[in-house]
Amino acid sequence: MIEVSKLTKRYRDHVAISDLSFKVERGEIVGFLGPNGAGKSTTMRILTGCLPATSGVAKIAGIDVFDDPMAAKRRIGYLPEIPPVYPDMTVREYLSFAARIKGVREINKEVLKVAGRAGVDHILPRLIANVSKGYRQRVGMAMALLGSPEVLILDEPTVGLDPIQIEQVRRLILELGATKQHTIILSTHILSEVKATCERVIIVARGSIAADARIADLEAEHGASLETVFTKLAAA
């Protein structure tokens, strides 16, 4: 479902990511981990067509992100770390607006569905400017779910949420993965969140892949917890 081959991004003399290659199969939930500045967000922006690569190939459902970006984007739901919400719109207006851009046909029905799944159905009439950071994050999650995209790319999806909301988002991610209709890449600094939702992780350090394995296999190989393994590989 997601295929990355020798992906590289340079900013003049700075190499953000170098020669990344990995695959994510349909229905997988994969944790994409790394310290700050490792290249996680750069990779996600390239996959979503928000940023061009210097070289390499990135495909979504067999579609080259660079050759046919619009077709690839139609298959992606993207939640960036800071959700791109409009504070002068109500939650309903914003989700309806995003649904129109995505070409959703039954807009009202779809808005109600994703709002319910993200837990924001009760604040649909409220201005986004007047809701908390946590609810803005959940509105961003609802936006990413519009149109039931085949691929979900979630960058720090639980930032700003309280413990109850974090648990709700974890359950939602697991429910989406259980249907095998969505392929999910989850980037987060919260390793307990990764262990609760993912079976496999890709660890990036200094722009390169340091590990790509099932969590259980990685812990067994190093004889240590994921937290210890991550710390070791990130510092290497």
Side-chain angles (χ1 to χ4, degrees):
M1 184 54 66
I2 300 173
E3 184 177 352
V4 172
S5 179
K6 297 183 178 181
L7 202 62
T8 297
K9 178 63 179 179
R10 295 187 181 91
Y11 297 96
R12 295 188 178 181
D13 295 333
H14 174 67
V15 180
I17 57 173
S18 177
D19 208 29
L20 294 191
S21 296
F22 61 86
K23 290 183 180 181
V24 183
E25 302 297 337
R26 181 183 296 274
E28 276 195 286
I29 306 175
V30 175
F32 198 65
L33 310 177
N36 290 332
K40 303 187 304 300
S41 293
T42 295
T43 304
M44 290 188 166
R45 288 171 188 154
I46 292 173
L47 287 175
T48 55
C50 299
L51 185 70
T54 302
S55 62
V57 175
K59 293 182 179 180
I60 302 292
I63 300 168
D64 193 297
V65 172
F66 313 124
D67 290 345
D68 197 350
M70 293 309 296
K73 287 178 181 180
R74 280 193 287 270
R75 289 161 171 80
I76 297 172
Y78 178 40
L79 174 62
E81 185 173 354
I82 301 175
V85 294
Y86 295 102
D88 54 344
M89 285 183 169
T90 66
V91 174
R92 185 188 296 275
E93 287 170 344
Y94 171 71
L95 292 176
S96 298
F97 169 70
R100 285 195 296 273
I101 291 175
K102 289 190 173 188
V104 173
R105 293 185 179 180
E106 298 183 46
I107 291 178
N108 290 335
K109 181 179 178 180
E110 183 70 8
V111 165
L112 289 174
K113 182 179 80 172
V114 300
R117 299 195 84 174
V120 294
D121 48 333
H122 63 295
I123 61 166
L124 284 171
R126 293 184 60 183
L127 278 176
I128 292 175
N130 295 334
V131 304
S132 68
K133 180 181 178 182
Y135 274 114
R136 292 188 189 197
Q137 196 75 10
R138 294 166 82 174
V139 171
M141 175 67 85
M143 182 273 294
L145 293 172
L146 285 166
S148 298
E150 296 170 78
V151 173
L152 286 170
I153 297 179
L154 310 177
D155 194 355
E156 301 287 353
T158 57
V159 168
L161 304 187
D162 62 37
I164 294 174
Q165 293 170 337
I166 289 172
E167 182 58 32
Q168 290 170 342
V169 170
R170 286 179 181 174
R171 284 203 304 269
L172 175 58
I173 291 170
L174 288 170
E175 288 169 7
L176 292 169
T179 67
K180 299 300 180 183
Q181 296 176 354
H182 303 278
T183 300
I184 303 173
I185 288 187
L186 168 66
S187 175
T188 178
H189 287 89
I190 306 172
L191 298 185
S192 59
E193 186 171 301
V194 173
K195 295 184 75 170
T197 55
C198 306
E199 289 189 355
R200 173 185 163 205
V201 293
I202 298 171
I203 299 177
V204 181
R206 294 185 175 87
S208 299
I209 292 179
D212 179 356
R214 290 169 57 87
I215 294 174
D217 294 341
L218 198 60
E219 291 180 330
E221 178 187 347
H222 291 267
S225 67
L226 177 61
E227 291 80 2
T228 300
V229 175
F230 173 78
T231 301
K232 177 182 176 181
L233 293 176

